[in-house]
Amino acid sequence: MSLFNQILLLMCVLTLLSTHNSLRVNAYSSLFFQRMHVNVTNTLLENLDLTLHCKSADDDLGPHVLHHGQNFVMNFKNNFLGETLFFCSFRWNKELHWFDIYIANRDDCRTTCNWYILQSGPCRTIAPKDNVECFAWNKNK
Ligand SMILES: *[C@@H]1O[C@H](CO)[C@@H](O)[C@H](O)[C@H]1NC(C)=O
């Protein structure tokens, strides 16, 4: 085989592999156009009010003030590419933090992802298992 043909063959194999891989990943997450439910509850200590402001590339959900124990539910559909990302700012007293509240490849919120906001960061349970998983605030602002 000539060098040119070898390179051509290699390129074909790589293209096939990458196509196959993304199909597998997409089928695995199977999240396209799925309706997602994300429920954020203010569980800050000391009965503090939480101001929550969530956005994606397409949507700005606006600021919401949650008293201690109150919650805010976000319902949305994943986009075609399964790349949906919602990020929120969280304010209380003089604190301001950011967190990616929904990342399509991280979270399966077809039932509901329940988030509980603490000073130390957000903790999540996913129904029906309800295992608690806690995360750190985003490092960048
Ligand atoms: C959101 O979470 C709160 C606190 O766990 C709960 O009381 C409320 O029923 C949840 N709402 C939805 C729509 O899941």
Side-chain angles (χ1 to χ4, degrees):
M1 223 189 295
S2 73
L3 182 61
F4 177 75
N5 281 342
Q6 284 182 38
I7 289 172
L8 205 63
L9 182 66
L10 182 67
M11 283 171 67
C12 288
V13 169
L14 286 177
T15 307
L16 276 176
L17 278 177
S18 65
T19 310
H20 173 78
N21 198 43
S22 64
L23 282 178
R24 189 173 56 75
V25 168
N26 290 346
Y28 169 71
S29 31
S30 68
L31 294 168
F32 317 106
F33 303 124
Q34 284 275 0
R35 207 151 245 306
M36 297 292 151
H37 309 279
V38 175
N39 180 10
V40 183
T41 303
N42 173 6
T43 49
L44 292 173
L45 301 177
E46 300 160 27
N47 279 319
L48 292 172
D49 284 353
L50 171 68
T51 304
L52 175 74
H53 191 166
C54 298
K55 293 178 193 178
S56 71
D58 308 319
D59 290 302
D60 183 337
L61 303 179
H64 292 265
V65 179
L66 302 178
H67 302 306
H68 181 89
Q70 287 188 325
N71 67 286
F72 174 66
V73 179
M74 303 160 52
N75 297 302
F76 54 90
K77 281 193 180 136
N78 272 326
N79 69 17
F80 172 68
L81 296 170
E83 285 172 341
T84 310
L85 171 73
F86 272 91
F87 55 96
C88 308
S89 67
F90 298 83
R91 286 174 191 273
W92 66 90
N93 290 347
K94 290 189 171 119
E95 299 268 344
L96 169 63
H97 294 280
W98 292 87
F99 187 69
D100 299 329
I101 206 76
Y102 179 77
I103 302 175
N105 292 331
R106 183 193 64 190
D107 304 317
D108 182 355
C109 303
R110 273 173 282 181
T111 49
T112 301
C113 284
N114 287 298
W115 288 95
Y116 301 92
I117 307 306
L118 298 163
Q119 272 89 342
S120 53
C123 295
R124 177 188 70 181
T125 65
I126 300 180
K129 282 192 180 168
D130 290 337
N131 298 327
V132 180
E133 214 181 331
C134 292
F135 294 78
W137 297 115
N138 287 4
K139 292 211 170 64
N140 53 334
K141 291 277 167 169

